[in-house]
């Protein structure tokens, strides 16, 4: 019942910046958490950053470089990625968690290469 539409990402050189955005088709009535995960080739999907009404969490590898922000009314979230490095290369997935359900965006490629 919730569709997460992603946009942004792309290709950038090391040290550059990119942004990924996500908008939910429906805003849940109750509390919900939104965030970003990523999966590099041959690796497990990992948490990048999440925002709930109470907490903000970042993976240690992105602290100080990435910023997550959300619009609770719209059910949207974006991730500003600064000082990108090759290890940040991955498919980035938007995520929403409600009391009863988990939803995923379609994924968007972020490639950091010289």
């Amino acid at each position: 019942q919730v569709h997460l539409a992603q946009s942004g990402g792309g290709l950038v050189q090391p040290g550059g910046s990119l942004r990924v955005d996500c908008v939910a088709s429906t805003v849940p009535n109750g509390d919900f958490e939104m965030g970003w995960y990523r999966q590099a080739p041959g690796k497990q999907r990992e948490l990048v950053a999440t925002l709930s009404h109470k907490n903000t969490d970042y993976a240690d590898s992105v602290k100080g470089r990435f910023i997550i922000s959300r619009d609770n009314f719209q059910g949207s979230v974006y991730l500003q990625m600064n000082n990108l490095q090759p290890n940040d290369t991955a498919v980035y997935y938007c995520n929403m968690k409600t009391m009863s359900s988990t939803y995923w965006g379609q994924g968007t490629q972020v490639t950091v290469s010289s």
Side-chain angles (χ1 to χ4, degrees), residues 36-40 42-48 91-95 103-107:
W36 293 93
Y37 294 72
R38 67 186 182 186
Q39 187 168 24
K43 298 181 65 177
Q44 296 180 342
R45 187 173 298 185
E46 64 178 357
L47 181 147
V48 178
V91 177
Y92 284 68
Y93 295 92
C94 179
N95 171 267
Y103 306 96
W104 293 96
Q106 79 276 16

Side-chain angles (χ1 to χ4, degrees), residues 34-112:
M34 298 194 74
W36 293 93
Y37 294 72
R38 67 186 182 186
Q39 187 168 24
K43 298 181 65 177
Q44 296 180 342
R45 187 173 298 185
E46 64 178 357
L47 181 147
V48 178
T50 59
L51 267 179
S52 69
H53 289 295
K54 296 182 179 180
N55 302 308
T56 304
D57 291 315
Y58 291 95
D60 288 342
S61 60
V62 307
K63 287 181 179 177
R65 297 189 297 121
F66 290 12
I67 301 171
I68 186 171
S69 184
R70 65 184 282 181
D71 184 322
N72 291 329
F73 181 77
Q74 295 188 41
S76 63
V77 62
Y78 73 79
L79 184 71
Q80 177 65 45
M81 301 173 286
N82 300 314
N83 192 23
L84 284 160
Q85 301 299 313
N87 285 343
D88 296 314
T89 296
V91 177
Y92 284 68
Y93 295 92
C94 179
N95 171 267
M96 174 188 283
K97 294 181 180 178
T98 68
M99 182 179 300
S100 60
S101 302
T102 300
Y103 306 96
W104 293 96
Q106 79 276 16
T108 185
Q109 181 70 46
V110 171
T111 301
V112 186

Side-chain angles (χ1 to χ4, degrees), residues 2-5 22-28 32 34 74-77 94 96:
V2 177
H3 178 252
L4 301 178
C22 177
V23 179
S25 62
T26 303
V27 180
F32 61 96
M34 298 194 74
Q74 295 188 41
S76 63
V77 62
C94 179
M96 174 188 283

